[in-house]
């Protein structure tokens, strides 16, 4: 019995595609673009000698460029995720990156496998497109999770700043300097926009809609109401920070409770595919006797439909909104 090494080669090439796109991203934009950087990207750009207005223009362009390009064919699938991940690559650059990674994957498949050229080309394109999508999706999830975790601390920092007598614009500036990315740069952009005359409530609302985050909408509404009706903004934000922190704790608790169900659903969804792959590798002629029967393709389609339904149902069961 001979086990083919081609599936392993496919997996290694796909992993290499993901590593390559991350490496290119860090090479082009520097380590400050990484979410693990302690110094937020806005401050690093300012330290490099760029003017405040120039940095603001660059960051605003990066934050809005993807949603403005949703009309590009097939790019609309990536636009929302790329917006949340705040990918600095422009939409044309991302499309070119998909093409370049497809070429790299094709070369790797040509060297490592004996697959037909047409099949290699198709698999290479899929690897290039899916690789970029997986990379952007991972970036978006990580960035949104970090913003949700940083927001209560940032609001409490605003509260302490307001209580010692600073205006709200100064408290935003303090947050932009003290809080690391990703929230530090986001608040820095709002602070700069406020300095150039934009309404703070409007800027916060725009950020909340762009990131599609409920806690940020609460912050924007609280600031807007205080601007229109007056009141003690420090007390309002203090209560808001407690609400956000409580929601975050509840979300973590729900996540912990549903973790077992999520892993069970993932196992039940992936196991049939893994079993099919192992049968194909260990005994390639296992289905030869039934392949030519008329019921084989309908039965395979029914099984595939059940797998899709299983994934959808299991995901809906554990997707609890907080």
């Amino acid at each position: 019995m001979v086990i083919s090494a081609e599936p392993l080669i496919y997996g290694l090439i796909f992993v290499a595609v993901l590593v390559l796109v991350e490496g290119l991203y860090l090479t082009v934009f520097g380590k400050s673009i990484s979410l693990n950087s302690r110094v937020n990207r806005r401050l690093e750009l300012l330290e490099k000698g760029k003017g405040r207005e120039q940095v603001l223009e660059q960051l605003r362009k990066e934050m809005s460029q993807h949603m403005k390009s949703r009309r590009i064919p097939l790019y609309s699938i990536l636009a929302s995720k790329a917006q949340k991940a705040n990918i600095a690559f422009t939409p044309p650059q991302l499309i070119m990156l998909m093409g370049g990674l497809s070429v790299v994957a094709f070369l790797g498949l040509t060297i490592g496998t004996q697959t037909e050229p047409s099949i290699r080309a198709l698999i290479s394109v899929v690897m290039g497109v899916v690789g970029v999508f997986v990379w952007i999706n991972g970036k978006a999830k990580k960035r949104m999770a970090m913003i949700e975790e940083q927001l209560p601390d940032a609001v409490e920092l605003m509260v302490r700043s307001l209580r010692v007598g600073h205006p709200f614009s100064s408290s935003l500036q303090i947050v932009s300097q003290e809080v690391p990315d990703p929230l530090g740069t986001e608040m820095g952009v709002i602070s700069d926009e406020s300095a150039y005359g934009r309404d703070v409530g409007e800027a916060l609302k725009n950020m909340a809609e762009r990131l599609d985050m409920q806690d940020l909408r609460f912050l924007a509404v609280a600031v807007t109401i205080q601007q229109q009706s007056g009141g003690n903004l420090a007390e309002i934000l203090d209560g808001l920070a407690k609400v956000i922190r409580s929601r975050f704790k509840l979300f973590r608790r729900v996540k912990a409770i549903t973790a077992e169900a999520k892993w069970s659903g993932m196992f039940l969804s992936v196991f049939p595919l893994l079993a099919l792959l192992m049968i194909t590798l260990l005994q390639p002629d296992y289905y030869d006797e039934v392949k030519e029967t008329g019921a084989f393709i309908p039965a395979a389609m029914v099984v595939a439909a059940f797998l899709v339904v299983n994934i959808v149902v299991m995901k809906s069961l554990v997707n609890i909104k907080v």
Side-chain angles (χ1 to χ4, degrees):
M1 179 180 62
V2 178
I3 299 178
S4 174
E6 288 196 358
L8 178 60
I9 294 174
Y10 293 151
L12 291 175
I13 292 176
F14 184 71
V15 172
V17 166
L18 295 178
V19 173
L20 183 59
V21 67
E22 178 70 14
L24 287 172
Y25 194 57
L26 294 178
T27 301
V28 173
F29 296 102
K31 293 183 179 180
S32 66
I33 199 72
S34 172
L35 296 178
N36 297 322
S37 177
R38 293 185 178 181
V39 179
N40 68 57
R41 185 157 180 257
R42 171 178 168 271
L43 292 180
E44 183 165 296
L45 291 174
L46 290 172
E47 289 176 358
K48 288 181 178 179
K50 293 185 178 181
R52 187 178 182 184
E53 186 175 356
Q54 184 181 1
V55 171
L56 175 61
E57 183 180 355
Q58 178 181 343
L59 293 176
R60 289 185 66 182
K61 181 180 178 181
E62 292 176 358
M63 290 174 178
S64 61
Q65 61 186 349
H66 298 287
M67 296 307 290
K68 291 180 179 179
S69 303
R70 284 179 295 180
R71 295 182 179 179
I72 299 177
L74 300 180
Y75 188 77
S76 58
I77 302 174
L78 283 175
S80 177
K81 295 291 185 182
Q83 187 77 18
K84 291 180 179 180
N86 196 31
I87 300 298
F89 281 134
T90 63
Q93 287 174 339
L94 280 177
I95 295 173
M96 291 174 60
L97 184 62
M98 292 179 190
L101 293 174
S102 299
V103 172
V104 173
F106 182 80
L107 292 175
L109 291 175
T110 302
I111 296 172
T113 67
Q114 301 297 324
T115 314
E116 293 294 326
S118 57
I119 298 177
R120 287 203 305 266
L122 178 61
I123 295 175
S124 299
V125 171
V126 172
M127 283 188 177
V129 175
V130 174
V132 172
F133 181 83
V134 169
W135 174 71
I136 290 176
N137 187 54
K139 286 278 187 183
K141 285 184 177 180
K142 182 178 180 181
R143 187 170 187 268
M144 296 300 293
M146 290 182 70
I147 290 178
E148 289 177 351
E149 189 171 354
Q150 289 176 321
L151 188 58
D153 294 331
V155 175
E156 289 178 351
L157 183 57
M158 293 179 194
V159 172
R160 291 194 294 270
S161 176
L162 291 170
R163 283 176 173 169
V164 298
H166 293 295
F168 186 62
S169 57
S170 297
S171 66
L172 287 174
Q173 183 67 24
I174 293 172
V175 170
S176 70
Q177 294 174 350
E178 299 296 330
V179 176
D181 271 345
L183 191 58
T185 294
E186 292 282 353
M187 289 298 180
V189 170
I190 292 178
S191 175
D192 290 342
E193 288 179 337
S194 173
Y196 286 110
R198 187 178 186 183
D199 181 71
V200 177
E202 181 185 344
L204 287 170
K205 182 180 178 182
N206 180 68
M207 181 177 73
E209 294 301 325
R210 175 165 47 80
L211 298 178
D212 191 23
M213 184 178 295
Q214 191 64 36
D215 292 338
L216 283 174
R217 292 191 180 98
F218 293 157
L219 177 60
V221 169
V223 173
T224 302
I225 291 176
Q226 192 276 336
Q227 287 178 332
Q228 296 175 354
S229 305
N232 191 332
L233 183 58
E235 294 300 323
I236 295 173
L237 294 183
D238 185 44
L240 178 61
K242 293 178 181 177
V243 171
I244 294 174
R245 196 175 294 280
S246 298
R247 290 183 74 249
F248 186 73
K249 288 181 179 178
L250 179 60
F251 177 77
R252 284 291 180 89
R253 185 177 180 183
V254 170
K255 187 176 181 180
I257 293 173
T258 59
E260 182 180 356
K262 285 184 179 180
W263 281 103
S264 299
M266 187 181 301
F267 175 79
L268 292 174
S269 302
V270 174
F271 179 75
L273 300 177
L274 293 177
L276 177 62
L277 177 63
M278 292 303 298
I279 291 172
T280 304
L281 292 175
L282 298 176
Q283 195 171 350
D285 58 347
Y286 185 80
Y287 294 104
D288 287 351
E289 295 182 4
V290 296
K291 275 183 180 179
E292 304 301 328
T293 61
F296 180 74
I297 297 207
M301 294 179 66
V302 170
V303 171
F306 275 121
L307 282 175
V308 173
V309 171
N310 171 70
I311 293 172
V312 172
V313 171
M314 293 300 295
K315 187 173 182 179
S316 62
L317 287 176
V318 298
N319 187 23
I320 300 175
K321 300 294 183 181
V322 178

